[in-house]
Amino acid sequence: MGSHPTFIMRNVVIIGSGCAGNTAAIYSARARLSPLVIIGHEAGGQLSITSIVENFPGFPEGVDGPQLVENMKQQAIHFGADYIHGSVEEVDFSKRPFRLKVAGVWVETRTVIIASGASARWLGIPGEEQFIAKGYSSCATCDGFFFRNKKIMVVGGGDSAMEEANFLTRFGESVTLVHRRDQFRASKIMVDRVMNNPKITMILNTAVESIIPNETGDVVGVVLKNLVTGETKNQDVDGLFVAIGHIPNTKPFLGQIDTDDEGYIVGKGGARTNIPGVFHAGDVEDRIYRQAITASGAGCKAAIESERFLEAEGH
Ligand code: NAP
């Protein structure tokens, strides 16, 4: 990290240090643009809370998620990127240079890449953080494989929950879908697929009240509460997957960057946002794919667009 990176006018400030932000940093740094990366509140993004990643190309044996994202960061630093801890508190994109407030200090920059991601919504049950990567997951694509011939539970009633329940039947001995109501947000076709899958059992009007761990802290069961009768019961579970939505990390940009009614950035083609010189990358805009590789690809695109934008302006 440079001595006082925050006081220097930057060419590129990248908000977020997940796959999208780090890849944007590698490309911007190799273009000699000295990017400044604001690490944000979830350093390393969603990969930092997974275990092994087996679908990132180039790693036939799989790769440790936190290590992969740390390697990306080191690669960016090697080419001259600066990283600072802290989150963006406020931005002023109304005029250029753009201004961002991080840990109480205003940073000025010619371009911005918003790669602040989306955070999985978790259940909010007691002590849940300690079970992440120990049987409690928000990503079936990432972690389903670890539950071959095991008892899997999926929580949620939207399309994601239906899709994940179906997908997880490839691995699990059984899949139980738990939903807090008896009506689904998911499309009928997705619900029908779940209902017609003999490996899936549905439990409706029910919430997961707590997780039961074994002596090594792995998930071995849950306490379920019927929300109509109030009754509780224990059920054996090896893998508990939540699919109850994501929350895009766009709070500081609301009102300046166009977002949809859930807060996701509305892209304007390529990596552009409604403000020329402010670009997006990764899950902060992408509610469909949400993969490490697609986020990295988006980070690459945003960096190239920011580089061309600067070049067109003679920087
Ligand atoms: P969603 O549609 O917002 O559904 C979230 C579900 O989680 C709802 O059923 C909700 O219950 C439940 N939920 C929320 N908070 C909860 C909590 N604290 N405890 C228990 N349950 C909770 O989210 P999504 O399924 O992630 O889908 C997001 C968007 O992506 C949707 O537009 C969806 O159509 C789309 N998508 C499409 C596909 C596809 O077409 N292949 C696949 C995945 C996602 P309530 O219903 O009671 O509120």
Side-chain angles (χ1 to χ4, degrees):
M1 191 163 90
S3 50
H4 289 296
T6 51
F7 296 109
I8 300 166
M9 157 74 98
R10 309 300 295 215
N11 286 310
V12 193
V13 167
I14 298 166
I15 304 169
S17 58
C19 292
N22 283 322
T23 305
I26 293 168
Y27 274 78
S28 297
R30 289 194 75 253
R32 295 268 173 266
L33 292 172
S34 311
L36 175 69
V37 182
I38 298 163
I39 291 173
H41 69 279
E42 267 179 38
Q46 293 192 61
L47 270 198
S48 65
I49 54 164
T50 38
S51 43
I52 195 122
V53 179
E54 293 181 326
N55 52 12
F56 200 91
F59 300 93
E61 310 294 328
V63 56
D64 181 70
Q67 189 61 54
L68 175 62
V69 82
E70 177 61 23
N71 287 351
M72 291 182 193
K73 178 181 171 191
Q74 292 310 325
Q75 195 173 343
I77 289 172
H78 172 74
F79 290 112
D82 291 318
Y83 280 71
I84 52 165
H85 284 282
S87 297
V88 172
E89 292 150 13
E90 219 181 308
V91 296
D92 182 359
F93 293 160
S94 65
K95 54 184 181 302
R96 305 190 35 221
F98 303 122
R99 298 174 78 229
L100 303 95
K101 194 176 181 189
V102 185
V105 178
W106 284 96
V107 182
E108 290 192 336
T109 181
R110 297 185 176 99
T111 67
V112 175
I113 296 174
I114 302 176
S116 48
S119 304
R121 192 175 275 136
W122 296 92
L123 290 171
I125 52 181
E128 63 184 355
E129 313 77 42
Q130 72 202 63
F131 300 113
I132 296 171
K134 301 201 85 175
Y136 185 40
S137 170
S138 61
C139 181
T141 317
C142 319
D143 298 329
F145 193 71
F146 303 116
F147 298 94
R148 270 163 293 172
N149 305 319
K150 303 273 180 166
K151 293 183 183 66
I152 295 176
M153 181 173 280
V154 177
V155 183
D159 283 328
S160 297
M162 302 304 139
E163 195 169 74
E164 302 213 339
N166 260 319
F167 173 73
L168 288 165
T169 57
R170 294 184 197 189
F171 309 107
E173 156 201 299
S174 65
V175 174
T176 307
L177 182 92
V178 174
H179 179 37
R180 64 185 177 183
R181 296 189 296 144
D182 60 0
Q183 302 292 314
F184 297 101
R185 227 169 257 275
S187 49
K188 189 168 181 316
I189 186 165
M190 302 281 275
V191 176
D192 286 347
R193 245 177 243 159
V194 165
M195 285 184 160
N196 293 329
N197 189 323
K199 268 185 151 181
I200 304 177
T201 310
M202 278 193 187
I203 304 184
L204 302 179
N205 294 317
T206 296
V208 173
E209 212 171 45
S210 60
I211 293 172
I212 305 169
N214 63 10
E215 59 286 350
T216 55
D218 295 299
V219 174
V220 290
V222 292
V223 178
L224 296 176
K225 181 174 184 181
N226 184 309
L227 298 173
V228 176
T229 63
E231 274 169 48
T232 59
K233 67 165 187 174
N234 294 2
Q235 181 157 333
D236 291 347
V237 172
D238 304 298
L240 176 64
F241 288 82
V242 277
I244 59 172
H246 283 77
I247 306 165
N249 299 315
T250 47
K251 211 165 160 205
F253 321 116
L254 297 179
Q256 301 191 54
I257 295 293
D258 285 355
T259 53
D260 64 16
D261 52 6
E262 284 182 61
Y264 284 91
I265 290 180
V266 176
K268 306 288 175 183
R272 290 189 296 281
T273 67
N274 56 304
I275 298 182
V278 180
F279 302 94
H280 64 76
D283 291 13
V284 73
E285 181 269 346
D286 169 24
R287 55 164 74 217
I288 312 273
Y289 302 105
R290 298 182 177 135
Q291 299 300 300
I293 188 69
T294 52
S296 276
C300 160
K301 280 195 215 172
I304 291 174
E305 290 205 22
S306 112
E307 187 189 330
R308 290 182 181 160
F309 181 89
L310 288 164
E311 202 171 82
E313 296 211 324
H315 297 294

